Amino acid sequence: MRIVHTADIHLRGDREERWGALSAVIDAAAEADAGVLVITGDLFDRDFDATPLKARLRPVLERFAGRVVVLPGNHDAAGIRAGDFFGRNVSVLAGTDVVTDIDGVRFVGVPFEDVSIDGTLARLRAASRQRGDGASVLLYHGELLDLSPGSGAFGEEDDREYMPARLGDLADLGFDYVLAGHFHKNHDVRACGRGFFTYSGSPVSITRRETGPRHIGVIDVGQAPVGHTLATRHYAALDIRLSPADDEHPVARIERELSALAPGAVALVEIHGYVDLSLLNMNESEFHARIAETVARFDVEACSASACSDVSTILSGDLFRRFSARLAHSTLGEADRALVREMAIRAMMEVPDAR
């Protein structure tokens, strides 16, 4: 059996990019010839989204030729109930209806509840008693305490723990796979007892802190999960540091870096550093207008160039020319010379007499 794993799509009626991500996941699952698509929580962004979006969701999930298994997460725990109909090929693991068998593989769900680590462990142990004798997969939506995820890894939910568990406790359950949701940041795989624990990551950026291309997990039963990159909408943090020593025109540099972004990228651009506008035959207003014109041709959600400064008066001064001559005869490598040059420019910017 081949399983495609995703989570944290956060569907809403007013977020078309998330519907596009779900379609991309289904297309990728079909291309991978998967028999099962598993969604481990937060299919919907809010509990009350589930009911009005069912009619739109059903034909989307029914496009997948295999089976779909859905588990509630913390965002939609009250909106997804046992017996809900999300499509003729969809099994919902909620309430007390938490087991489904597909082609000899048993899927056991632990629907999200707002419980402590002790409460989570009790529910996980109850799930392990339904594991069966063949291949088994646990579906879980919560926070793995063994991670050091960094800011934004759980969307906007860094404030407290959500159904927390430890890898060692999950390993003791005896499942071949633990397919988890709640971690948005990236695809992550860890050894877990006799099997594997894996987060798929969100297939679309939900917040600006979720940067980089998105993924799904692909699992061939009996082998380690692997990540597959999607061309879905995602934020890309682009930090461009300009230097007057660069041979490339700064506007051309900005255009080149924007052109190199991955498909689906939405750029968050910060432009820093220094330019010599006298060599560019521009004043500051013209330079920033050129940046704005260039950025407007790409999918850029935010761009700041306020930290970029004109240093033409400093570079033309006698003090900097003498400093540059001495630096050119130093034993420093080119990278270190560039760093020292920038430090000198920054210092001279703060000393009026140096201009």
Side-chain angles (χ1 to χ4, degrees):
M1 177 187 289
R2 176 169 289 173
I3 303 166
V4 161
H5 171 215
T6 191
D8 301 289
I9 307 172
H10 289 267
L11 292 176
R12 291 174 52 153
D14 58 347
R15 294 289 190 272
E16 289 301 314
E17 73 279 4
R18 301 181 189 179
W19 290 90
L22 176 58
S23 291
V25 168
I26 291 171
D27 290 342
E31 290 171 9
D33 197 26
V36 181
L37 169 62
V38 169
I39 305 172
T40 52
D42 290 354
L43 172 60
F44 300 102
D45 190 50
R46 300 164 295 194
D47 291 325
F48 57 81
D49 285 315
T51 297
L53 295 180
K54 279 182 185 178
R56 181 177 179 183
L57 178 63
R58 287 171 188 144
V60 178
L61 294 181
E62 286 178 346
R63 277 204 303 112
F64 181 57
R67 294 277 298 278
V68 180
V69 183
V70 174
L71 181 81
N74 60 294
H75 274 257
D76 51 18
I80 297 178
R81 298 170 295 274
D84 280 350
F85 181 65
F86 290 120
R88 61 182 180 273
N89 59 333
V90 181
S91 298
V92 174
L93 304 188
T96 58
D97 188 7
V98 294
V99 177
T100 187
D101 294 310
I102 305 173
D103 295 338
V105 177
R106 172 157 289 190
F107 294 82
V108 182
V110 180
F112 178 84
E113 295 180 69
D114 192 2
V115 293
S116 67
I117 187 169
D118 291 335
T120 302
L121 184 56
R123 285 151 181 79
L124 291 170
R125 286 173 174 166
S128 72
R129 291 193 288 271
Q130 303 189 66
R131 195 177 66 240
D133 297 325
S136 59
V137 180
L138 178 71
L139 310 185
Y140 158 73
H141 186 95
E143 182 174 347
L144 185 66
L145 296 177
D146 303 75
L147 284 175
S148 298
S151 176
F154 302 105
E156 296 177 340
E157 294 165 339
D158 295 332
D159 56 329
R160 64 183 183 89
E161 295 173 349
Y162 287 79
M163 210 169 188
R166 294 189 178 92
L167 192 63
D169 292 328
L170 291 164
D172 291 341
L173 302 177
F175 285 92
D176 296 290
Y177 298 95
V178 180
L179 307 186
H182 190 61
F183 178 69
H184 292 202
K185 190 173 183 180
N186 54 262
H187 182 259
D188 187 275
V189 179
R190 294 162 188 261
C192 185
R194 71 182 195 188
F196 299 94
F197 173 97
T198 180
Y199 279 122
S200 64
S202 173
V204 59
S205 289
I206 305 301
T207 71
R208 285 186 176 184
R209 294 188 293 179
E210 297 159 36
T211 58
R214 309 282 87 201
H215 303 86
I216 54 172
V218 180
I219 301 103
D220 288 320
V221 174
Q223 300 180 33
V226 296
H228 172 80
T229 304
L230 300 170
T232 51
R233 186 180 189 272
H234 63 275
Y235 287 111
L238 190 57
D239 188 274
I240 301 174
R241 185 165 295 277
L242 302 175
S243 169
D246 294 340
D247 294 331
E248 188 175 17
H249 193 290
V251 176
R253 160 89 180 281
I254 294 166
E255 183 173 12
R256 174 174 58 79
E257 296 211 20
L258 286 168
S259 299
L261 291 174
V266 180
L268 307 172
V269 184
E270 292 282 345
I271 303 172
H272 308 268
Y274 307 97
V275 292
D276 185 352
L277 292 180
S278 65
L279 292 179
L280 303 178
N281 295 316
M282 293 182 189
N283 58 37
E284 287 186 331
S285 294
E286 291 168 337
F287 176 63
H288 285 273
R290 284 284 303 279
I291 291 176
E293 291 169 5
T294 300
V295 166
R297 298 200 299 271
F298 298 88
D299 195 349
V300 175
E301 186 164 304
C303 178
S304 173
S306 59
C308 186
S309 303
D310 174 30
V311 291
S312 56
T313 55
I314 287 177
L315 299 185
S316 61
D318 182 62
L319 178 61
F320 187 80
R321 285 200 300 268
R322 284 187 283 117
F323 167 80
S324 295
R326 295 190 65 176
L327 183 62
H329 289 90
S330 73
T331 59
L332 294 174
E334 186 53 42
D336 288 334
R337 288 183 189 179
L339 179 61
V340 171
R341 186 183 300 112
E342 183 170 323
M343 291 172 62
I345 291 172
R346 189 181 304 119
M348 292 179 185
M349 290 280 289
E350 296 174 3
V351 180
D353 290 345
R355 306 184 192 187

